[in-house]
Amino acid sequence: MAVEKELKAEMYKRSPQGWMKHIDFILWDILVLQLAYILAYRIRHGRLWPFDNPNYRMLGIILAVADLLIAIIFNSMHNVIKRGHGKEFIESARHSLLVLAAMSLYMFSVQSGDVYSRITLYLTAVFHFIFGYVIRLFWKAFLKRANKKRSKASMVLIASERRIPEILKKASELDDFNYDGIILFDRNAAGETIQGVPVIANLSDAADYICREHVDEVFVFPTRIADIEYQGKGEDTLAVLISQFKEMAIPVHVRLPLNEYGGKNFLEKVGGYDVYTSTINYATPVQMAIKRLFDIIGGLIGSLGALVIILIVGPKIKRESPGPVLFKQTRIGLNGKQFKCYKIRSMYMDADERKKELMSQNRVADGMMFKMDFDPRIIGNRIVDGKQVTGIGEMLRSTSLDEFPQFFNVLKGDMSLVGTRPPTVDEWDKYKYHHRARLATKPGLTGMWQVSGRSRITDFEQIVKLDTAYINNWSLALDVKILFKTIKVVLNKEGAM
């Protein structure tokens, strides 16, 4: 048993990943939230201990759960160590407001506003922000002091000569470990010194050297994937060297050269194999479940609204343009999947045929989308005595009422409340590689383009930038922000096309 404990102590200790990486900050935040709650209760009710009251005991438990869930879902502690005082102030305030919003929603949902004191809740939020901000600054300062005092791992760096300055600079900024030696895989340089760090061996004798010297870990930094397998002659390759380190049971960190392509990179299992995944962004299962729940609730409410609108405007559409009230069009959705998009028909039945005749008047210069200032294909649009006259079709489009049946698509799962605009098949056929990035998420009823003055943006490349910016920076909080902006845009009739 003693031998087993000793072996465990010597084995490599893997750093926590995801939100667990900062579990200490999360636990501190839950603790100070409870202290804030106790102080607020004391000020409001004149009693020290809220947990004697069954109602307030339950509220204290829910506060802790809400704090934990918000920290996980909104990733509140992301990069907490690197954040400066100003950024930490903003993030602490944001986190406290999210907890307050969650608790307000809970009290509204269970109709308990007359049971709990709102002043207690507001005071809790204020104290939570103050205590949380202070404890984060204190704990970061403590960790930095402790990091300087602890003994650091002895790390050997294996890389090409031109990348050494960059790697050493980044390591000095993080101050997590020391590079005690360098091995170059692009030339023999044993005995030389690079920026104060000795080149301890060549690639050919690296395994023999490390086998007999004190080395805790090895960091291999290939410039290209091909460097791992093909660099060197005969057996002198990085792949063979990595295998030899594995045989010695030395922890080896291999940097896969995919980071330059941007996006999010992480390790996972696919088909039973460990793989390195690179993607524009990712969402956790919890985040996707919450987003889908929002879509279902919003889809149900919106679908009821769509049915009411169809009953009201349907007869007028049929009178002015005989044909179906609902218009179905094939659109391109998530990752290129085709689906039928529903809209209230605002155009005449021959709109697609007439589109070719009107291409010269397209406002989107590169032809990647089709938009006109005054589209004669819209029901009721006509020229009378030289003046442009509009009708039911233009009203539906300017108020976005024609898009309400897309809530049916949201319920089906083809679309989301917030996403990117789904292209038509002919638009999709013209896409270049970077345009396809728009389809890395479900298309949405609204999105960054719609709330950024879409009628003024006619450059398709700018639309692509807005959509990819949404995907790159996606969060549940961003979806909520876009939804509120959409309401403002629709009510003010801004940006409709």
Side-chain angles (χ1 to χ4, degrees), residues 208-400:
D208 290 337
Y209 178 91
I210 289 176
C211 184
R212 292 166 179 81
E213 296 293 333
H214 169 221
V215 174
D216 292 318
E217 303 170 34
V218 176
F219 180 32
V220 182
F221 192 102
T223 305
R224 305 165 301 164
I225 293 179
D227 292 336
I228 299 175
E229 191 62 47
Y230 302 112
Q231 185 65 39
K233 299 178 181 179
E235 294 295 302
D236 301 335
T237 67
L238 287 181
V240 171
L241 191 58
I242 291 169
S243 178
Q244 290 168 336
F245 292 151
K246 183 178 179 182
E247 190 176 352
M248 298 180 212
I250 293 177
V252 183
H253 310 280
V254 182
R255 176 259 189 185
L256 293 183
L258 297 175
N259 302 62
E260 285 83 355
Y261 301 110
K264 302 297 175 66
N265 307 285
F266 50 91
L267 292 171
E268 59 179 345
K269 279 190 178 294
V270 173
Y273 294 95
D274 292 321
V275 299
Y276 182 90
T277 300
S278 180
T279 180
I280 188 171
N281 203 345
Y282 68 91
T284 66
V286 174
Q287 288 174 321
M288 291 308 297
I290 293 175
K291 184 175 174 68
R292 182 58 186 151
L293 178 62
F294 284 165
D295 287 345
I296 292 173
I297 295 172
L300 286 171
I301 297 171
S303 295
L304 291 174
L307 292 174
V308 173
I309 294 168
I310 291 170
L311 289 174
I312 295 173
V313 303
K316 185 170 179 62
I317 291 174
K318 280 188 167 292
R319 280 198 304 270
E320 296 200 21
S321 175
V325 175
L326 274 185
F327 171 70
K328 291 189 293 184
Q329 185 182 41
T330 300
R331 293 289 183 114
I332 308 299
L334 177 65
N335 294 327
K337 181 181 178 181
Q338 293 189 0
F339 69 98
K340 294 295 183 182
C341 182
Y342 302 108
K343 295 182 73 174
I344 295 177
R345 185 167 63 88
S346 61
M347 290 189 172
Y348 292 107
M349 295 296 293
D350 61 348
D352 283 339
E353 289 76 12
R354 296 173 64 187
K355 179 179 177 180
K356 296 178 181 178
E357 305 169 8
L358 300 168
M359 282 301 294
S360 61
Q361 301 178 51
N362 187 5
R363 290 174 52 199
V364 183
D366 54 14
M368 296 299 292
M369 297 168 61
F370 184 81
K371 300 294 176 185
M372 289 181 61
D373 286 319
F374 184 79
D375 194 337
R377 301 174 304 154
I378 297 175
I379 298 173
N381 278 13
R382 59 194 183 278
I383 305 294
V384 178
D385 297 330
K387 295 181 179 179
Q388 296 177 347
V389 178
T390 61
I392 181 68
E394 194 65 45
M395 185 277 292
L396 289 170
R397 295 165 71 88
S398 65
T399 57
S400 298

Side-chain angles (χ1 to χ4, degrees), residues 82 157 163-177 179 195 219 221 255 259-260:
K82 301 177 183 178
L157 170 63
R163 302 303 293 266
I164 297 296
E166 162 202 339
I167 300 169
L168 294 180
K169 181 176 183 295
K170 185 168 289 189
S172 66
E173 292 172 352
L174 297 175
D175 197 31
D176 287 334
F177 51 81
Y179 284 123
Q195 293 196 349
F219 180 32
F221 192 102
R255 176 259 189 185
N259 302 62
E260 285 83 355

Side-chain angles (χ1 to χ4, degrees), residues 5-244:
K5 288 182 178 179
E6 184 177 344
L7 285 173
K8 287 182 178 178
E10 293 298 319
M11 291 175 67
Y12 177 70
K13 181 180 178 182
R14 187 184 181 190
S15 300
Q17 304 296 312
W19 62 271
M20 285 293 294
K21 184 177 180 180
H22 298 301
I23 187 64
D24 50 345
F25 283 91
I26 295 175
L27 292 176
W28 272 119
D29 199 79
I30 293 174
L31 176 62
V32 298
L33 175 58
Q34 294 298 310
L35 292 175
Y37 178 52
I38 292 170
L39 179 58
Y41 185 82
R42 168 67 175 167
I43 293 173
R44 176 65 180 87
H45 299 279
R47 293 189 293 274
L48 179 61
W49 196 243
F51 301 101
D52 289 336
N53 184 314
N55 291 324
Y56 280 91
R57 184 189 309 132
M58 178 57 67
L59 187 61
I61 294 171
I62 295 172
L63 272 169
V65 173
D67 196 21
L68 176 62
L69 290 177
I70 286 171
I72 296 172
I73 294 169
F74 291 90
N75 206 6
S76 302
M77 302 303 171
H78 180 63
N79 280 336
V80 63
I81 297 291
K82 301 177 183 178
R83 296 197 297 234
H85 288 17
K87 178 69 173 175
E88 195 59 69
F89 185 91
I90 294 171
E91 290 300 323
S92 297
R94 174 176 172 268
H95 183 81
S96 299
L97 287 173
L98 286 171
V99 174
L100 175 62
M103 296 309 300
S104 299
L105 180 62
Y106 163 76
M107 292 171 67
F108 174 78
S109 300
V110 300
Q111 298 181 346
S112 57
D114 55 342
V115 176
Y116 303 114
S117 165
R118 292 183 178 84
I119 294 177
T120 301
L121 188 62
Y122 296 149
L123 284 175
T124 299
V126 172
F127 292 141
H128 178 213
F129 160 62
I130 297 171
F131 296 166
Y133 177 64
V134 171
I135 197 65
R136 290 185 197 184
L137 296 184
F138 167 80
W139 192 240
K140 282 192 284 188
F142 172 80
L143 290 177
K144 288 176 181 178
R145 287 196 301 270
N147 187 50
K148 289 180 180 179
K149 293 179 180 179
R150 70 178 173 86
S151 59
K152 298 173 184 176
S154 173
M155 183 86 74
V156 168
L157 170 63
I158 303 177
S160 65
E161 186 172 13
R162 70 181 183 85
R163 302 303 293 266
I164 297 296
E166 162 202 339
I167 300 169
L168 294 180
K169 181 176 183 295
K170 185 168 289 189
S172 66
E173 292 172 352
L174 297 175
D175 197 31
D176 287 334
F177 51 81
N178 291 322
Y179 284 123
D180 293 332
I182 294 172
I183 298 171
L184 301 181
F185 62 70
D186 53 354
R187 75 178 182 92
N188 292 333
E192 297 181 19
T193 299
I194 301 177
Q195 293 196 349
V197 182
V199 180
I200 57 176
N202 296 322
L203 195 66
S204 59
D205 58 0
D208 290 337
Y209 178 91
I210 289 176
C211 184
R212 292 166 179 81
E213 296 293 333
H214 169 221
V215 174
D216 292 318
E217 303 170 34
V218 176
F219 180 32
V220 182
F221 192 102
T223 305
R224 305 165 301 164
I225 293 179
D227 292 336
I228 299 175
E229 191 62 47
Y230 302 112
Q231 185 65 39
K233 299 178 181 179
E235 294 295 302
D236 301 335
T237 67
L238 287 181
V240 171
L241 191 58
I242 291 169
S243 178
Q244 290 168 336

